[in-house]
mmCIF file with all atom_site columns, all heavy atoms in Angstrom:
data_model
loop_
_atom_site.group_PDB
_atom_site.id
_atom_site.type_symbol
_atom_site.label_atom_id
_atom_site.label_alt_id
_atom_site.label_comp_id
_atom_site.label_asym_id
_atom_site.label_entity_id
_atom_site.label_seq_id
_atom_site.pdbx_PDB_ins_code
_atom_site.Cartn_x
_atom_site.Cartn_y
_atom_site.Cartn_z
_atom_site.occupancy
_atom_site.B_iso_or_equiv
_atom_site.pdbx_formal_charge
_atom_site.auth_seq_id
_atom_site.auth_comp_id
_atom_site.auth_asym_id
_atom_site.auth_atom_id
_atom_site.pdbx_PDB_model_num
ATOM 1  N N   . ASP A 1 108 ? 97.257  91.672  117.565 1.00 95.00 ? 108 ASP A N   1
ATOM 2  C CA  . ASP A 1 108 ? 97.449  92.931  116.831 1.00 95.00 ? 108 ASP A CA  1
ATOM 3  C C   . ASP A 1 108 ? 96.208  93.805  116.844 1.00 95.00 ? 108 ASP A C   1
ATOM 4  O O   . ASP A 1 108 ? 96.107  94.761  116.077 1.00 95.00 ? 108 ASP A O   1
ATOM 5  C CB  . ASP A 1 108 ? 97.882  92.645  115.386 1.00 95.00 ? 108 ASP A CB  1
ATOM 6  C CG  . ASP A 1 108 ? 96.936  91.697  114.655 1.00 95.00 ? 108 ASP A CG  1
ATOM 7  O OD1 . ASP A 1 108 ? 96.237  90.910  115.321 1.00 95.00 ? 108 ASP A OD1 1
ATOM 8  O OD2 . ASP A 1 108 ? 96.913  91.723  113.412 1.00 95.00 ? 108 ASP A OD2 1
ATOM 9  N N   . PRO A 1 350 ? 103.066 90.024  108.141 1.00 98.00 ? 350 PRO A N   1
ATOM 10 C CA  . PRO A 1 350 ? 104.023 91.140  108.106 1.00 98.00 ? 350 PRO A CA  1
ATOM 11 C C   . PRO A 1 350 ? 103.975 91.891  109.441 1.00 98.00 ? 350 PRO A C   1
ATOM 12 O O   . PRO A 1 350 ? 102.922 91.960  110.086 1.00 98.00 ? 350 PRO A O   1
ATOM 13 C CB  . PRO A 1 350 ? 103.503 92.020  106.968 1.00 98.00 ? 350 PRO A CB  1
ATOM 14 C CG  . PRO A 1 350 ? 102.414 91.226  106.303 1.00 98.00 ? 350 PRO A CG  1
ATOM 15 C CD  . PRO A 1 350 ? 101.898 90.267  107.305 1.00 98.00 ? 350 PRO A CD  1
ATOM 16 N N   . LEU A 1 351 ? 105.090 92.475  109.846 1.00 97.00 ? 351 LEU A N   1
ATOM 17 C CA  . LEU A 1 351 ? 105.137 93.200  111.115 1.00 97.00 ? 351 LEU A CA  1
ATOM 18 C C   . LEU A 1 351 ? 105.337 94.696  110.892 1.00 97.00 ? 351 LEU A C   1
ATOM 19 O O   . LEU A 1 351 ? 104.495 95.498  111.238 1.00 97.00 ? 351 LEU A O   1
ATOM 20 C CB  . LEU A 1 351 ? 106.243 92.615  111.999 1.00 97.00 ? 351 LEU A CB  1
ATOM 21 C CG  . LEU A 1 351 ? 105.983 91.145  112.404 1.00 97.00 ? 351 LEU A CG  1
ATOM 22 C CD1 . LEU A 1 351 ? 107.232 90.512  113.015 1.00 97.00 ? 351 LEU A CD1 1
ATOM 23 C CD2 . LEU A 1 351 ? 104.805 91.039  113.351 1.00 97.00 ? 351 LEU A CD2 1
ATOM 24 N N   . HIS A 1 374 ? 97.199  89.098  111.606 1.00 96.00 ? 374 HIS A N   1
ATOM 25 C CA  . HIS A 1 374 ? 97.539  89.473  110.226 1.00 96.00 ? 374 HIS A CA  1
ATOM 26 C C   . HIS A 1 374 ? 98.721  90.426  110.164 1.00 96.00 ? 374 HIS A C   1
ATOM 27 O O   . HIS A 1 374 ? 99.215  90.737  109.087 1.00 96.00 ? 374 HIS A O   1
ATOM 28 C CB  . HIS A 1 374 ? 96.335  90.118  109.546 1.00 96.00 ? 374 HIS A CB  1
ATOM 29 C CG  . HIS A 1 374 ? 96.252  91.618  109.718 1.00 96.00 ? 374 HIS A CG  1
ATOM 30 N ND1 . HIS A 1 374 ? 96.183  92.230  110.950 1.00 96.00 ? 374 HIS A ND1 1
ATOM 31 C CD2 . HIS A 1 374 ? 96.217  92.625  108.798 1.00 96.00 ? 374 HIS A CD2 1
ATOM 32 C CE1 . HIS A 1 374 ? 96.114  93.538  110.785 1.00 96.00 ? 374 HIS A CE1 1
ATOM 33 N NE2 . HIS A 1 374 ? 96.141  93.810  109.507 1.00 96.00 ? 374 HIS A NE2 1
ATOM 34 N N   . GLY A 1 375 ? 99.165  90.942  111.308 1.00 95.00 ? 375 GLY A N   1
ATOM 35 C CA  . GLY A 1 375 ? 100.260 91.908  111.296 1.00 95.00 ? 375 GLY A CA  1
ATOM 36 C C   . GLY A 1 375 ? 100.578 92.355  112.706 1.00 95.00 ? 375 GLY A C   1
ATOM 37 O O   . GLY A 1 375 ? 100.357 91.623  113.665 1.00 95.00 ? 375 GLY A O   1
ATOM 38 N N   . ALA A 1 376 ? 101.074 93.596  112.829 1.00 93.00 ? 376 ALA A N   1
ATOM 39 C CA  . ALA A 1 376 ? 101.471 94.106  114.142 1.00 93.00 ? 376 ALA A CA  1
ATOM 40 C C   . ALA A 1 376 ? 100.413 94.995  114.781 1.00 93.00 ? 376 ALA A C   1
ATOM 41 O O   . ALA A 1 376 ? 100.319 95.082  115.996 1.00 93.00 ? 376 ALA A O   1
ATOM 42 C CB  . ALA A 1 376 ? 102.784 94.880  114.019 1.00 93.00 ? 376 ALA A CB  1
ATOM 43 N N   . GLY A 1 377 ? 99.590  95.689  113.985 1.00 93.00 ? 377 GLY A N   1
ATOM 44 C CA  . GLY A 1 377 ? 98.587  96.576  114.566 1.00 93.00 ? 377 GLY A CA  1
ATOM 45 C C   . GLY A 1 377 ? 99.198  97.840  115.144 1.00 93.00 ? 377 GLY A C   1
ATOM 46 O O   . GLY A 1 377 ? 100.428 98.021  115.159 1.00 93.00 ? 377 GLY A O   1
ATOM 47 N N   . ARG A 1 378 ? 98.332  98.718  115.635 1.00 93.00 ? 378 ARG A N   1
ATOM 48 C CA  . ARG A 1 378 ? 98.767  100.005 116.176 1.00 93.00 ? 378 ARG A CA  1
ATOM 49 C C   . ARG A 1 378 ? 98.196  100.205 117.574 1.00 93.00 ? 378 ARG A C   1
ATOM 50 O O   . ARG A 1 378 ? 97.130  99.680  117.891 1.00 93.00 ? 378 ARG A O   1
ATOM 51 C CB  . ARG A 1 378 ? 98.267  101.163 115.302 1.00 93.00 ? 378 ARG A CB  1
ATOM 52 C CG  . ARG A 1 378 ? 98.754  101.134 113.853 1.00 93.00 ? 378 ARG A CG  1
ATOM 53 C CD  . ARG A 1 378 ? 98.049  102.211 113.036 1.00 93.00 ? 378 ARG A CD  1
ATOM 54 N NE  . ARG A 1 378 ? 98.407  102.152 111.635 1.00 93.00 ? 378 ARG A NE  1
ATOM 55 C CZ  . ARG A 1 378 ? 99.401  102.853 111.076 1.00 93.00 ? 378 ARG A CZ  1
ATOM 56 N NH1 . ARG A 1 378 ? 100.105 103.685 111.813 1.00 93.00 ? 378 ARG A NH1 1
ATOM 57 N NH2 . ARG A 1 378 ? 99.677  102.740 109.796 1.00 93.00 ? 378 ARG A NH2 1
ATOM 58 N N   . TYR A 1 423 ? 103.819 101.426 114.709 1.00 95.00 ? 423 TYR A N   1
ATOM 59 C CA  . TYR A 1 423 ? 103.184 100.133 114.940 1.00 95.00 ? 423 TYR A CA  1
ATOM 60 C C   . TYR A 1 423 ? 103.511 99.591  116.334 1.00 95.00 ? 423 TYR A C   1
ATOM 61 O O   . TYR A 1 423 ? 104.421 100.074 117.011 1.00 95.00 ? 423 TYR A O   1
ATOM 62 C CB  . TYR A 1 423 ? 103.635 99.129  113.870 1.00 95.00 ? 423 TYR A CB  1
ATOM 63 C CG  . TYR A 1 423 ? 102.982 99.382  112.534 1.00 95.00 ? 423 TYR A CG  1
ATOM 64 C CD1 . TYR A 1 423 ? 103.566 100.241 111.606 1.00 95.00 ? 423 TYR A CD1 1
ATOM 65 C CD2 . TYR A 1 423 ? 101.763 98.799  112.211 1.00 95.00 ? 423 TYR A CD2 1
ATOM 66 C CE1 . TYR A 1 423 ? 102.951 100.501 110.390 1.00 95.00 ? 423 TYR A CE1 1
ATOM 67 C CE2 . TYR A 1 423 ? 101.143 99.049  110.995 1.00 95.00 ? 423 TYR A CE2 1
ATOM 68 C CZ  . TYR A 1 423 ? 101.741 99.897  110.087 1.00 95.00 ? 423 TYR A CZ  1
ATOM 69 O OH  . TYR A 1 423 ? 101.123 100.168 108.889 1.00 95.00 ? 423 TYR A OH  1
ATOM 70 N N   . LYS A 1 424 ? 102.782 98.576  116.731 1.00 94.00 ? 424 LYS A N   1
ATOM 71 C CA  . LYS A 1 424 ? 103.068 97.909  117.992 1.00 94.00 ? 424 LYS A CA  1
ATOM 72 C C   . LYS A 1 424 ? 104.461 97.278  117.956 1.00 94.00 ? 424 LYS A C   1
ATOM 73 O O   . LYS A 1 424 ? 104.994 96.983  116.887 1.00 94.00 ? 424 LYS A O   1
ATOM 74 C CB  . LYS A 1 424 ? 102.032 96.809  118.261 1.00 94.00 ? 424 LYS A CB  1
ATOM 75 C CG  . LYS A 1 424 ? 100.626 97.313  118.512 1.00 94.00 ? 424 LYS A CG  1
ATOM 76 C CD  . LYS A 1 424 ? 99.728  96.154  118.917 1.00 94.00 ? 424 LYS A CD  1
ATOM 77 C CE  . LYS A 1 424 ? 98.306  96.625  119.152 1.00 94.00 ? 424 LYS A CE  1
ATOM 78 N NZ  . LYS A 1 424 ? 97.457  95.559  119.731 1.00 94.00 ? 424 LYS A NZ  1
ATOM 79 N N   . VAL A 1 429 ? 104.293 91.269  119.817 1.00 95.00 ? 429 VAL A N   1
ATOM 80 C CA  . VAL A 1 429 ? 103.271 90.577  119.022 1.00 95.00 ? 429 VAL A CA  1
ATOM 81 C C   . VAL A 1 429 ? 103.694 89.126  118.784 1.00 95.00 ? 429 VAL A C   1
ATOM 82 O O   . VAL A 1 429 ? 102.892 88.197  118.952 1.00 95.00 ? 429 VAL A O   1
ATOM 83 C CB  . VAL A 1 429 ? 103.024 91.299  117.680 1.00 95.00 ? 429 VAL A CB  1
ATOM 84 C CG1 . VAL A 1 429 ? 102.080 90.489  116.794 1.00 95.00 ? 429 VAL A CG1 1
ATOM 85 C CG2 . VAL A 1 429 ? 102.442 92.695  117.916 1.00 95.00 ? 429 VAL A CG2 1
#
Side-chain angles (χ1 to χ4, degrees):
D108 54 336
L351 296 168
H374 89 301
R378 300 172 184 267
Y423 285 89
K424 293 186 181 188
V429 174

